[in-house]
């Protein structure tokens, strides 16, 4: 998987959460994810397709982090994952993908984004529907963990 394609999503997630929710994320070590079970409590999933690539991205939050972000962004602190939290996760997924799309566009990668889908609940699953492996990158924060999963089939040969 091409690092030039993955890094814009990581950069965008850290930027969105730092600017919108005063939440600093520290990235951990990437690894291949074999199972479909999410590592957190609520996930935003976005499909993307373009001339050079097709694939999907998911951003999963532990409940403690999602609730903290909700409180910092909107001034409300729900007791658990509710409809407002899932809406916020969908919007964060949209903002992160949009930010990454801008960076990738500057590097010659174009793609269209689908509407984000949000799944929640302990043990929920994420199916990326790609032939490529799924890369997962954990993030730590003072209020819990987040995880980005990316799976992209690059349809063009790398020029390098």
């Amino acid at each position: 998987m091409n690092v030039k394609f993955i890094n814009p999503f990581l950069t965008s997630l850290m930027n969105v959460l730092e600017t919108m929710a005063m939440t600093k994320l520290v990235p951990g070590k990437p690894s291949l994810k074999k199972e479909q079970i999410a590592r957190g409590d609520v996930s935003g999933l976005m499909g993307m397709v373009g001339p050079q690539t097709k694939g999907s991205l998911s951003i999963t939050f532990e409940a403690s982090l999602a609730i903290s972000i909700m409180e910092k962004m909107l001034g409300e602190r729900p007791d658990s994952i509710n409809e407002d939290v899932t809406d916020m996760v969908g919007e964060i997924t949209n903002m992160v993908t949009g930010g990454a799309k801008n960076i990738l566009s500057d590097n010659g990668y174009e793609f269209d984004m689908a509407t984000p889908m949000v799944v929640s609940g302990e043990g929920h699953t994420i199916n990326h529907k790609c032939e490529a492996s799924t890369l997962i990158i954990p993030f730590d924060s003072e209020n819990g963990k987040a995880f980005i999963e990316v799976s992209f089939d690059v349809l063009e040969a790398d020029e390098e």
Side-chain angles (χ1 to χ4, degrees):
M1 208 170 292
N2 192 334
V3 173
K4 291 187 294 186
F5 199 76
I6 305 298
N7 283 343
F9 292 96
L10 310 183
T11 301
S12 186
L13 175 64
M14 292 187 293
N15 182 47
V16 165
L17 290 185
E18 199 154 339
T19 57
M20 302 295 290
M22 292 79 56
T23 299
K24 184 165 176 56
L25 294 179
V26 178
K29 183 180 179 190
S31 62
L32 291 179
K33 185 174 180 218
K34 306 276 189 229
E35 74 285 351
Q36 292 183 340
I37 296 173
R39 305 254 171 103
D41 302 299
V42 58
S43 300
L45 179 65
M46 171 88 66
M48 292 163 269
V49 66
Q52 305 103 330
T53 186
K54 69 178 175 104
S56 61
L57 159 98
S58 69
I59 306 170
T60 301
F61 298 94
E62 290 181 339
S64 58
L65 180 55
I67 289 168
S68 169
I69 292 168
M70 177 85 175
E71 183 176 31
K72 290 177 180 179
M73 283 179 74
L74 301 173
E76 302 170 21
R77 184 169 181 90
D79 295 329
S80 61
I81 303 293
N82 62 19
E83 187 177 340
D84 291 333
V85 175
T86 59
D87 287 349
M88 177 200 69
V89 167
E91 192 51 43
I92 288 171
T93 304
N94 211 23
M95 288 188 282
V96 168
T97 307
K101 180 178 180 176
N102 289 339
I103 296 168
L104 287 166
S105 177
D106 292 342
N107 293 322
Y109 287 100
E110 299 292 335
F111 58 84
D112 292 322
M113 305 178 338
T115 302
M117 183 177 80
V118 179
V119 186
S120 63
E122 191 176 326
H124 69 273
T125 59
I126 301 169
N127 183 357
H128 287 283
K129 296 184 178 159
C130 287
E131 292 176 24
S133 299
T134 299
L135 188 68
I136 184 168
I137 300 98
F139 291 85
D140 280 314
S141 77
E142 63 183 15
N143 294 303
K145 293 184 181 296
F147 302 87
I148 279 189
E149 295 179 23
V150 286
S151 182
F152 287 98
D153 296 331
V154 177
L155 306 176
E156 68 170 358
D158 204 342
E159 289 105 32
E160 296 181 285

